[in-house]
Structure formats: structure tokens, C-alpha cells
Amino acid sequence: MKKPIILINFKAYENSFGKKGVDIAKRIEKVSTEYSTEVILSVPATMIPILSQEVSLPIYAQHVDSYPLGAHTGSLLPEMIKEAGAKGTLLNHSEKRIRADEIHDALIRLNRLGLESVVCVDRYELVEPMALLKPTAILIEPPELIGSGISVSKAKPEVITNAVKEISKVPGVFIIAGAGISSGEDVYTAVKLGADGIGVASAVMKAKEPEKVVEDFIKSGIKAMDEKN
Ligand code: G3P
């Protein structure tokens, strides 16, 4: 049975690091284990070592730089996140844009190191060109809906359908959708429209009971996947 990809971006919310960061990761781990899914946690760089030790879920960085090893003060390099225990990274998030050549260089390094990669794009026209650079997945997010509570599934379903069409030209790369995802229904719609899963932040990170939100997302995503197969 195919499972939906669910990627939770911790961003820099006040509960994304320290003891609170470990607590929320463990709650998400518990619910995802119950449904035999692997929710991806994209966390602040400082949290990669502890979370990859304490939690069995795939831990991603939120960004890497593409510089070579050497004199590059303040850089976070693919080799560093691998050593810290990450399984992959986001690249080019709307809140951390990088140039196309930097995305390309970073992907070459990540692939060589056996690390996964999710490249973010803000429009469907970029899905195919970015997918040709061979990331693990593309995450499409209309920036104006990020953190809005109004989901891409409801407000801009055509962004998902167009992105799904584009990704079909590049076999082997997943497409996931995000921005404003708030309910199980949003996840269900995104998957029914052809996405392999979703990316989310605020609906989980700001929730009183994040595990309940994640459970709803997982259940709805699995239901939509089952109906598609
Ligand atoms: O990386 C996912 C993120 O940008 C979506 O944010 O708060 O709209 O779920 P949010």
C-alpha cells in the first residue's frame, strides 16, 4: 500500500528547538508509528543530532549551502548535515531562497552523499526544470498562502493539478503540495488531485495537540491514496 508523504517543517517556531522541539517530534513519532508511516521532520540545524538519535523518523535540514568545504564562515554544508544524522534537506524554501545554480550544485553534492532532497518551488512552471535536476521530490507552495490557514488545496487546486501534470514528464521524482494546509480534508484533496503528499508547518507547530492534527493528516492522506489505487 502506497503511503502519502507528509513533511512537517518546524521552521523557527518557538517550539522547534530545545526540549520543546524534542517533545513535539516524539509526539509526531508516536502517531506516525501507529499508522506505520514515516513523517519527515525538517528541523533547525542545531536539532539534527539530537532528533536523529531520539526519534526514528527521517530528519531533514531546512536548507544547505552549496559551497565546497573550506573557508566559508557560517555555512551549513551537505557533508555537515549527513554527519549530524540528517536523511535529507529542504532546498529553496520561499523563506530561504537560493539561486538556480546553487540548487543544482547542492543537488549534485546531496545525491553523491546519498542524501534526500525536497526542492521548493513557488509556481508550477518550475516543477519540470527543477525535477530534471533530480531531487527526491518537489514541494510546490504558493507563497501568499504560506502560514495563512487557507490551503492550496482549497484556494488554488489548479496549482496542484498543473504541478502533477508537469512532474509526470520526469519519472522518479515525487510531487508534494503545501501552503496553508490545515485539515485532513486539505490533505485528502491534495492527494486526490494527484500529489504524492503534503508539506505543512503552522497547522502542526501552532496546535495545542499537534499529534491529533498529524493523525488527521495521516488518516486522510491514506484514505485518498487507497481510493486512488
Ligand atoms: O514548508 C511548508 C510550509 O512553508 C507551509 O507552511 O504554515 O502554510 O503550513 P504553512
XYZ file of all heavy atoms in Angstrom, residues 11 13 93-95 97 122 141-150 178-181 201-202:
167
model
N 10.286 24.988 10.884
C 10.702 26.392 10.702
C 11.490 26.869 11.930
O 12.319 26.125 12.447
C 9.480 27.268 10.398
C 8.780 26.815 9.109
C 7.861 27.832 8.499
C 7.351 27.321 7.156
N 6.433 28.225 6.474
N 9.818 28.163 14.703
C 8.798 28.406 15.738
C 9.403 28.191 17.120
O 10.398 27.474 17.268
C 7.599 27.463 15.522
C 6.704 27.901 14.375
C 6.680 27.201 13.179
C 5.898 29.037 14.492
C 5.868 27.607 12.120
C 5.086 29.449 13.446
C 5.078 28.742 12.268
O 4.289 29.158 11.235
N 13.412 26.899 -0.005
C 12.106 27.258 0.579
C 11.841 28.741 0.334
O 12.789 29.536 0.265
C 12.105 26.950 2.082
C 10.737 27.041 2.669
N 10.174 28.241 3.031
C 9.802 26.093 2.907
C 8.951 28.014 3.489
N 8.694 26.723 3.423
N 10.593 29.120 0.198
C 10.231 30.531 -0.034
C 10.855 31.466 0.999
O 11.078 32.642 0.718
C 8.726 30.711 0.038
O 8.156 30.326 -1.167
N 11.075 30.938 2.205
C 11.673 31.772 3.260
C 13.204 31.659 3.260
O 13.867 32.257 4.125
C 11.087 31.332 4.613
C 9.590 31.634 4.692
C 8.800 30.682 5.583
O 9.420 29.877 6.301
O 7.555 30.749 5.541
N 15.321 31.399 -0.045
C 15.563 31.249 -1.481
C 17.045 31.167 -1.807
O 17.860 31.878 -1.204
C 15.006 32.471 -2.215
C 13.522 32.467 -2.322
C 13.113 31.911 -3.666
N 11.679 31.895 -3.779
C 10.952 30.780 -3.678
N 11.509 29.615 -3.483
N 9.652 30.841 -3.793
N 7.686 27.953 -6.258
C 6.503 28.767 -5.955
C 5.495 28.804 -7.105
O 4.488 29.478 -7.022
C 6.913 30.191 -5.541
C 7.622 30.938 -6.663
O 7.839 30.366 -7.752
O 7.973 32.113 -6.438
N 4.537 25.371 -3.393
C 3.843 26.183 -2.395
C 3.624 27.604 -2.905
O 4.601 28.356 -3.050
C 4.683 26.286 -1.115
C 4.969 24.975 -0.445
C 5.489 25.146 0.972
O 6.409 25.966 1.188
O 4.968 24.484 1.855
N 2.390 28.011 -3.180
C 2.152 29.428 -3.490
C 2.486 30.270 -2.249
O 1.851 30.094 -1.205
C 0.646 29.488 -3.810
C 0.217 28.059 -4.000
C 1.168 27.213 -3.215
N 3.477 31.157 -2.353
C 3.981 31.852 -1.155
C 2.914 32.634 -0.398
O 2.942 32.722 0.830
C 5.036 32.817 -1.711
C 5.318 32.381 -3.088
C 4.179 31.547 -3.577
N 1.949 33.191 -1.157
C 0.944 34.033 -0.498
C 0.027 33.230 0.430
O -0.656 33.798 1.277
C 0.112 34.801 -1.547
C -0.787 33.966 -2.455
C -0.051 33.285 -3.633
O 1.189 33.274 -3.648
O -0.749 32.751 -4.520
N 0.026 31.900 0.286
C -0.834 31.079 1.153
C -0.079 30.480 2.338
O -0.680 29.938 3.260
C -1.488 29.956 0.337
C -2.445 30.399 -0.779
C -2.944 29.199 -1.581
C -3.639 31.171 -0.206
N 1.244 30.604 2.319
C 2.045 30.025 3.406
C 1.675 30.705 4.731
O 1.656 31.926 4.818
C 3.565 30.168 3.125
C 3.959 29.294 1.932
C 4.390 29.798 4.356
C 5.425 29.397 1.519
N 1.345 29.889 5.720
C 1.011 30.406 7.057
C -0.328 31.105 7.131
O -0.661 31.711 8.149
N -1.120 31.018 6.067
C -2.379 31.784 6.006
C -3.561 31.025 6.600
O -4.591 31.613 6.905
C -2.716 32.119 4.544
O -3.067 30.922 3.854
N -3.425 29.701 6.712
C -4.567 28.894 7.144
C -5.545 28.631 6.006
O -6.537 27.933 6.169
N -5.265 29.220 4.850
C -6.094 28.946 3.657
C -5.255 28.049 2.758
O -4.171 28.436 2.311
C -6.456 30.252 2.915
C -7.209 31.180 3.861
C -7.270 29.968 1.660
C -7.268 32.621 3.367
N 2.029 22.208 -0.660
C 1.927 22.818 0.663
C 1.457 24.247 0.565
O 1.223 24.770 -0.530
N 1.317 24.873 1.706
C 0.869 26.249 1.942
C -0.561 26.244 2.472
O -1.491 25.864 1.769
C 0.971 27.144 0.711
N -0.665 26.609 3.729
C -1.970 26.760 4.366
C -2.704 25.471 4.682
O -3.862 25.509 5.112
N -2.039 24.330 4.501
C -2.707 23.047 4.790
C -3.100 23.023 6.278
O -2.261 23.205 7.157
C -1.761 21.849 4.473
C -1.364 21.822 3.001
C -2.369 20.528 4.952
C -2.361 21.281 2.024
N 3.447 23.372 8.055
C 4.186 23.917 9.198
C 3.215 24.408 10.268
O 2.973 23.733 11.274
C 5.117 25.037 8.764
N 2.598 25.590 10.037
C 1.875 26.260 11.123
C 0.754 25.444 11.745
O 0.559 25.481 12.963
C 1.337 27.619 10.640
O 0.649 27.491 9.421
